[in-house]
Amino acid sequence: MPVPTGRPYEEGPGGDAAGPDSGERDGGVRDVKSAARTLELLELLAARKNRPARLRELSEALGMPRSSCYALLRTLTKYDWVRTDASGTLYGIGIRALLAGTSYLDTDPYVRIAKSALDTLGEHLDETFHLGRLSGGDVVYLVTRESSQYLRPRSRIGRRLPAYSAALGKALLAELDGAELKEQLPSELAPLTEHTITDHAALERDLMEIRACGYAVDREENTPGVRCFALPLRYSAPATDAISCSVPLARFTPARETDIVTALRRARDSIEHAAASIGFGI
């Protein structure tokens, strides 16, 4: 997941920072400076996953004065958005972030529809299935239905991957072109495995193939030993959600690919049909 870049902050009157968040965004509405800093800090802590951070690391990563960063951390810790160790020197994401994320999943109607379809797919094919959503150049896992053949199941919900490295993400990138596509891609495509596509021209050729055949394939591009297939869900335009199936190469065959893609297409049609009846836009 891309770490927030954090641009330098300068102390303004009353200790407020005047930086990129002091400008105007869409519609000429100014960002609330303290809110923007809070979100950047939470996103940075979330990006570190299980690696707690010290005050110095956080203030330097965000270009924020250490005193301002400390005050913000103390406030967020008080309300359980940030947690700290017994010494009070290491910080990580807090339980309130989990509660907010759970609420997002619980109230999203597309998640409920897709989960039912993925459960049916899992019962039929006993592979691992996912629902993912495009977010700022990444694909975020919203639903995972693990195969019973997977020996060490682990939840992927909330996990982010660069869209260019995953079948879910590539299925959604293929729905874009021109400036829209460029906006979702970093200037450098960092490799997650030795098979990750790291050349923009090669990625564009791959996206053209996806548009032609109607589904995306991840050939060990984010997980060694695993092939993944994905289709976009077109209940919004452009599509922001996709479903996928992951298969270990140890039991992959061309016939299995045909079975999986056929099943994914049936599930996609079922999900899109159900979504059309709820009239809920992302």
Side-chain angles (χ1 to χ4, degrees), residues 35-66:
R37 285 187 292 176
T38 299
L39 293 173
E40 283 198 337
L41 178 55
L42 289 173
E43 288 178 357
L44 178 56
L45 288 172
R48 293 177 64 87
K49 299 180 180 177
N50 63 345
R51 295 181 298 114
R54 296 185 182 276
L55 172 62
R56 177 183 54 79
E57 296 176 88
L58 296 171
S59 64
E60 290 179 357
L62 295 173
M64 186 188 301
R66 194 172 298 189

Side-chain angles (χ1 to χ4, degrees), residues 26-274:
D26 293 345
V29 178
R30 286 184 176 274
D31 284 351
V32 177
K33 292 181 286 188
S34 58
R37 285 187 292 176
T38 299
L39 293 173
E40 283 198 337
L41 178 55
L42 289 173
E43 288 178 357
L44 178 56
L45 288 172
R48 293 177 64 87
K49 299 180 180 177
N50 63 345
R51 295 181 298 114
R54 296 185 182 276
L55 172 62
R56 177 183 54 79
E57 296 176 88
L58 296 171
S59 64
E60 290 179 357
L62 295 173
M64 186 188 301
R66 194 172 298 189
S67 59
S68 298
C69 189
Y70 179 70
L72 187 53
L73 284 166
R74 288 292 300 270
T75 301
L76 291 170
T77 300
K78 177 181 177 181
Y79 290 99
D80 290 333
W81 283 92
V82 168
R83 59 192 170 101
T84 186
D85 68 340
S87 69
T89 60
L90 292 173
Y91 299 92
I93 199 73
I95 195 169
R96 286 286 176 181
L98 170 63
L99 299 177
T102 300
S103 176
Y104 179 86
L105 294 175
D106 288 345
T107 58
D108 189 299
Y110 296 120
V111 168
R112 294 197 302 272
I113 293 169
K115 185 178 185 305
S116 176
L118 297 188
D119 285 344
T120 300
L121 282 171
E123 292 168 4
H124 176 57
L125 291 176
D126 198 17
E127 298 293 356
T128 297
F129 294 90
H130 309 285
L131 168 72
R133 181 166 293 167
L134 193 63
S135 172
D138 293 339
V139 63
V140 182
Y141 288 78
L142 301 181
V143 177
T144 292
R145 204 282 189 185
E146 294 283 2
S147 166
S148 66
Q149 303 175 74
Y150 192 62
L151 299 180
R152 292 184 299 171
R154 59 191 176 98
S155 175
R156 292 176 175 84
I157 296 174
R159 181 185 180 199
R160 301 176 71 100
L161 287 173
Y164 64 83
S165 72
L168 282 168
K170 292 196 296 179
L172 294 168
L173 292 177
E175 298 286 293
L176 308 174
D177 55 24
E180 286 183 320
L181 176 59
K182 185 176 181 181
E183 192 175 296
Q184 299 294 334
L185 294 174
S187 56
E188 293 186 11
L189 307 180
L192 274 69
T193 75
E194 62 179 317
H195 302 284
T196 306
I197 298 174
T198 57
D199 176 75
H200 280 264
L203 178 62
E204 180 55 45
R205 289 193 295 271
D206 193 26
L207 297 180
M208 289 178 65
E209 291 179 13
I210 293 168
R211 295 178 190 118
C213 71
Y215 66 94
V217 184
D218 156 11
R219 302 172 177 85
E220 301 183 81
E221 291 159 50
N222 76 70
T223 304
V226 175
R227 186 164 292 197
C228 191
F229 306 90
L231 279 74
L233 299 171
R234 297 191 176 103
Y235 40 62
S236 63
T240 58
D241 292 358
I243 54 174
S244 72
C245 177
S246 300
V247 188
L249 289 183
R251 62 172 181 267
F252 174 77
T253 65
R256 191 62 168 167
E257 175 175 348
T258 299
D259 290 343
I260 288 169
V261 173
T262 299
L264 284 173
R265 284 175 169 153
R266 285 198 300 264
R268 174 201 59 195
D269 293 345
S270 173
I271 294 169
E272 290 178 352
H273 178 75

